[in-house]
Amino acid sequence: MADEGRRGEDDDRGPGAAYQVFVVMEGLLEKLMLLHYEEEVLAKHNMKNLSRHYFVSSPYLPSNSGEQFYMFTILAAWLITLAGKPFTEPQEYDEPNATVSNILAELRSFGVKVDFPPSKLKSGSGEYVCFVLDRLADEALRKTGFTFRRPKYPTEDAEEEFVMEDNAELTLSKVEEEMIEEADDEEENVMDLKALQLRTTHTEVEPSSKPDEILESTVDAEEWNLEVERVLPQLKVTIRTDNKDWRIHVDQMHQHRDGIKSSLKEAKGYLDKLHEDIGKTLEKVGSREKYINNQLEHLIQEYRSAQAKHSEVKERYQQASGGVAEKTRVLAEISDELDKVKQEMEEKGSSMSDGAPVVKIKQSLTKLKQEVVQMDVRIGVVEHTLLQAKLNEKSNMTRDMHATNIPEPAAGHYV
């Protein structure tokens, strides 16, 4: 993990600082696995597992800035929520500046000093992205109560070594006893060279009985092989060791010891001289270092004060840039609302100045009058038809009445 006080100062860090981000990323991945980010984040958003160096910015690694930035914001929001502070999960089309400013604001609330611009996080990869996620992961682990313990190294048992060393020591009496015991044990199953020599000489003295014809074996080959395997361990021939061999080794040990002593005297002289030269050189370097420190003390104090002022100014700039981003977002929202109001006003003005509705109303009135006239004519026709029907009905009734009042003929005509 990079030092907080020297995050932006590349001159104060060593040559291995460029590769420190790889170590930070590997540690971050282990912390995320301890927090179960596979189930909480990856499974929820249907994403693949992160590689060991996912957020490392390197020309030798494949990168996708959009995908990495989205993954960075998702993980940061999740870690802030785990740390005990509610944080809205950013969406894919949110304003990047506002999202980064909110994440840095939450990081400062945890007491972490941030002395780099928010634009360093917009790429979605690099040293500062790993730094932010690593600190948030530490806060989340601290909130969950997880702590890293110191490793326990196995202690070596010193007594066993001493026992082994004691067993490894050899004395001359033990060597002689072991050699005698080994010779006695092997006499039963091992052929002796002296006996073998006596046997060969005895066979040489006896007259040779050579056969006149070639001998042909009648033994089966498989039985012969089985017999050879059975007798093979007893055919082992060993040469007895001479009891004077250890004296030769002791003489060689004395010779080597004398050679080592003579070489040590010569090498010790060179080493003492080298030690004196190194001591003198170290004294010169120490005195020179003290002189340089005394000469540059006021410059170091000025540099420290300038560095402190620079950090304060950078912090103010970060705060101001965060406020500017927030105001820019508010201005964009107000501009959108103003555009909507202007569009509505233009639509209403165009509708008020347009005479097309009046013409349509006049046309509708004219058509309505024509329909009214036609309706009056139809009503008149219907009334006339109804009146004629009534008159016809009345005449029919009068005719029927006269037909029922006709006088009957006189009865005398028929008498």
Side-chain angles (χ1 to χ4, degrees):
M1 184 181 296
D3 191 9
E4 294 178 12
R6 298 184 178 183
R7 175 151 290 279
E9 304 294 335
D10 294 337
D11 296 337
D12 296 341
R13 299 191 293 176
Y19 305 98
Q20 183 67 20
V21 64
F22 291 89
V23 181
V24 175
M25 180 60 206
E26 292 181 0
L28 170 62
L29 187 59
E30 292 180 357
K31 295 175 183 177
L32 292 176
M33 293 176 69
L34 290 174
L35 293 171
H36 306 287
Y37 84 108
E38 297 95 339
E39 297 83 3
E40 299 291 336
V41 180
L42 299 182
K44 182 179 178 182
H45 295 85
N46 195 14
M47 295 180 176
K48 297 180 180 179
N49 290 334
L50 300 182
S51 61
R52 292 175 58 194
H53 306 139
Y54 182 79
F55 289 111
V56 177
S57 178
S58 175
Y60 303 102
L61 297 174
S63 62
N64 187 349
S65 59
E67 179 184 351
Q68 288 175 335
F69 180 76
Y70 180 65
M71 178 63 76
F72 161 68
T73 55
I74 292 295
L75 289 176
W78 174 64
L79 292 173
I80 292 170
T81 305
L82 282 182
K85 294 190 176 182
F87 192 85
T88 306
E89 184 176 316
Q91 301 299 323
E92 188 174 359
Y93 299 102
D94 288 349
E95 180 66 25
N97 293 325
T99 304
V100 170
S101 299
N102 295 332
I103 292 173
L104 291 181
E106 294 294 338
L107 185 62
R108 293 190 187 95
S109 65
F110 289 118
V112 180
K113 186 176 180 182
V114 179
D115 54 358
F116 55 86
S119 59
K120 296 290 185 179
L121 304 178
K122 292 178 66 176
S123 61
S125 62
E127 178 184 3
Y128 302 102
V129 172
C130 296
F131 169 75
V132 172
L133 291 177
D134 187 67
R135 286 310 175 93
L136 291 176
D138 290 339
E139 296 296 332
L141 289 173
R142 189 178 294 110
K143 183 67 177 178
T144 55
F146 180 84
T147 55
F148 289 98
R149 298 179 181 178
R150 292 183 177 274
K152 294 182 179 180
Y153 300 101
T155 57
E156 297 181 356
D157 194 358
E159 295 180 357
E160 294 182 359
E161 294 181 357
F162 293 146
V163 171
M164 292 175 64
E165 291 177 358
D166 294 336
N167 292 333
E169 293 180 357
L170 296 177
T171 58
L172 297 177
S173 60
K174 289 184 178 180
V175 171
E176 292 178 355
E177 291 176 358
E178 290 178 357
M179 293 173 64
I180 294 170
E181 290 177 357
E182 290 178 357
D184 295 337
D185 294 337
E186 293 179 356
E187 281 180 353
E188 298 179 356
N189 298 325
V190 180
M191 296 178 64
D192 194 359
L193 285 178
K194 293 181 178 180
L196 185 62
Q197 290 176 356
L198 292 174
R199 187 177 298 175
T200 52
T201 54
H202 180 69
T203 54
E204 289 178 358
V205 172
E206 293 179 354
S208 61
S209 58
K210 284 187 177 181
D212 297 334
E213 298 179 357
I214 298 175
L215 295 177
E216 294 182 1
S217 177
T218 59
V219 180
D220 191 3
E222 294 181 358
E223 294 179 358
W224 179 267
N225 291 330
L226 292 174
E227 185 68 19
V228 169
E229 291 179 359
R230 187 180 66 81
V231 182
L232 185 62
Q234 299 179 2
L235 298 178
K236 183 178 180 181
V237 179
T238 58
I239 300 174
R240 292 183 179 181
T241 57
D242 190 1
N243 295 331
K244 296 182 180 180
D245 289 343
W246 63 270
R247 299 183 184 278
I248 298 173
H249 292 297
V250 171
D251 294 338
Q252 292 178 355
M253 291 171 62
H254 286 300
Q255 292 177 2
H256 292 308
R257 186 184 63 180
D258 296 337
I260 291 172
K261 285 183 179 180
S262 60
S263 301
L264 180 62
K265 290 180 181 179
E266 185 178 358
K268 189 175 181 181
Y270 291 119
L271 291 174
D272 292 338
K273 185 177 180 181
L274 182 61
H275 181 268
E276 292 177 0
D277 295 339
I278 292 174
K280 293 179 182 179
T281 306
L282 289 176
E283 290 178 358
K284 291 181 181 179
V285 171
S287 61
R288 188 63 179 174
E289 184 178 0
K290 291 179 181 179
Y291 175 75
I292 293 173
N293 290 332
N294 293 329
Q295 293 294 327
L296 300 178
E297 184 66 26
H298 64 285
L299 295 177
I300 294 173
Q301 295 295 336
E302 291 179 358
Y303 173 73
R304 289 177 179 173
S305 61
Q307 188 177 6
K309 291 180 181 178
H310 177 69
S311 300
E312 293 178 358
V313 172
K314 188 176 288 186
E315 182 69 21
R316 294 176 184 174
Y317 171 74
Q318 298 298 330
Q319 296 177 357
S321 62
V324 170
E326 183 66 21
K327 291 179 181 179
T328 303
R329 185 180 62 81
V330 174
L331 177 62
E333 293 178 356
I334 295 173
S335 299
D336 294 338
E337 294 179 358
L338 182 61
D339 293 336
K340 291 180 180 178
V341 172
K342 286 182 179 181
Q343 186 176 1
E344 291 178 358
M345 290 179 63
E346 289 178 358
E347 291 178 356
K348 290 182 179 180
S350 61
S351 62
M352 291 174 64
S353 60
D354 191 7
V358 179
V359 174
K360 290 181 180 179
I361 291 171
K362 289 181 179 181
Q363 292 177 357
S364 300
L365 289 174
T366 304
K367 187 176 181 181
L368 185 60
K369 287 180 181 180
Q370 292 176 0
E371 291 179 355
V372 168
V373 172
Q374 293 178 2
M375 187 61 69
D376 291 339
V377 172
R378 291 181 180 179
I379 291 171
V381 173
V382 172
E383 288 179 353
H384 178 70
T385 306
L386 183 60
L387 180 59
Q388 188 176 2
K390 286 182 179 181
L391 289 175
N392 291 332
E393 184 180 0
K394 188 175 182 181
S395 62
N396 291 332
M397 290 177 63
T398 304
R399 188 177 63 248
D400 292 339
M401 287 176 63
H402 287 296
T404 56
N405 292 327
I406 297 175
E408 295 179 3
H413 294 285
Y414 299 98
V415 178

